[in-house]
């Protein structure tokens, strides 16, 4: 009986942590620096807020833009590349990536300006025929204030596209027509299909 109650409590915590999402959104994984997947901890990580950055003399993110950028999604080699486009170190602690209904917590690492981190694209079920990738500062997947980067490909209407539109990170109905190829961002603030190339 205690085991049933404990499992019920775990399930309710996971559903609550997903911001009231439908039952399909309860797939949650965590990552380590080695990109291994383990069952999620039942306690949500503390929300992390990232101060807006400003452009330095060498370029980088402009004021109000998140310094972290989805730099590339390489389906052939099963990798996602995130890059710090800002002029200061960027702490990934508490950050998550999402391809609804798959979620994964990022390693608690700090990226120096220009630094990158690579993750397995399969970690959140990314595939070349269509999908999305959102980057969040907290485990609040339907909260536009927590989403800091987004890209959709293959078709419009992906699971978190509405949240990205509310966050000002994407346009309604927009997607990268990648024809099954990988994606490469064209700059430090990709917010639409025109900001992506394929290859």
């Amino acid at each position: 009986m205690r085991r049933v109650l404990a499992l019920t409590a775990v399930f309710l915590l996971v559903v609550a942590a997903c911001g009231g999402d439908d039952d399909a959104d309860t797939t949650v994984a965590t990552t380590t620096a080695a990109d291994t997947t383990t069952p999620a901890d039942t306690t949500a990580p503390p929300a992390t807020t990232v101060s807006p950055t400003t452009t330095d003399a060498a370029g980088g993110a402009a004021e109000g833009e998140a310094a972290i950028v989805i730099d590339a999604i390489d389906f052939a080699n099963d990798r996602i590349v995130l890059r710090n486009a800002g002029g200061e170190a960027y702490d990934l602690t508490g950050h998550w990536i999402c391809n609804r209904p798959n979620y994964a917590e990022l390693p608690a690492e700090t990226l120096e300006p220009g630094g990158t981190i690579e993750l397995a694209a399969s970690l959140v079920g990314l595939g070349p025929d269509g999908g999305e990738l959102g980057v969040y500062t907290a485990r609040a997947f339907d909260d536009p204030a927590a989403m800091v980067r987004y890209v959709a490909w293959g078709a419009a209407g992906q699971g978190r596209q509405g949240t990205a539109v509310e966050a000002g990170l994407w346009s309604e109905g927009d997607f990268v027509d990648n024809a099954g190829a990988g994606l490469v961002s064209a700059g430090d603030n990709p917010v639409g299909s025109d900001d992506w190339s394929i290859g």
Side-chain angles (χ1 to χ4, degrees), residues 71-73 75 151 153 176-178 181-187 190 192-199:
D71 213 32
I73 303 172
F75 302 110
V151 61
W153 62 93
V176 180
D177 187 6
N178 66 321
L183 309 171
V184 179
S185 68
S193 58
D194 291 341
D195 297 325
W196 291 85
S197 60
I198 61 173

Side-chain angles (χ1 to χ4, degrees), residues 14 18 25-32 35-41 45 95-99 101-107 120 122-125 139 141:
V14 171
C18 291
D25 284 345
T26 59
T27 305
V28 180
T30 58
T31 64
T32 65
D35 292 332
T36 58
T37 304
T38 59
D41 187 348
H95 283 52
W96 289 70
I97 55 174
C98 163
N99 172 38
N102 302 303
Y103 308 94
E105 186 174 17
L106 298 182
S122 57
L123 190 66
V124 287
R139 189 173 168 175
F141 306 114

Side-chain angles (χ1 to χ4, degrees), residues 167-188:
L169 299 171
W170 206 251
S171 298
E172 189 72 41
D174 195 13
F175 66 95
V176 180
D177 187 6
N178 66 321
L183 309 171
V184 179
S185 68
D188 292 342

Side-chain angles (χ1 to χ4, degrees), residues 73-152:
I73 303 172
D74 180 356
F75 302 110
N77 294 299
D78 187 36
R79 67 187 188 112
I80 299 164
V81 180
L82 302 180
R83 175 174 54 90
N84 178 0
E88 298 179 3
Y90 191 95
D91 186 2
L92 292 172
T93 302
H95 283 52
W96 289 70
I97 55 174
C98 163
N99 172 38
R100 189 178 186 185
N102 302 303
Y103 308 94
E105 186 174 17
L106 298 182
E109 294 184 16
T110 299
L111 297 182
E112 294 302 319
T116 62
I117 185 171
E118 292 189 8
L119 306 163
S122 57
L123 190 66
V124 287
L126 298 187
D129 296 331
E132 65 182 345
L133 184 63
V135 179
Y136 293 80
T137 59
R139 189 173 168 175
F141 306 114
D142 61 351
D143 182 0
M147 182 185 275
V148 292
R149 289 294 173 193
Y150 182 84
V151 61

Side-chain angles (χ1 to χ4, degrees), residues 39-64:
D41 187 348
T42 58
T43 57
T48 302
T49 55
V50 178
S51 301
T53 58
T54 55
T55 303
D56 61 3
E63 182 143 355

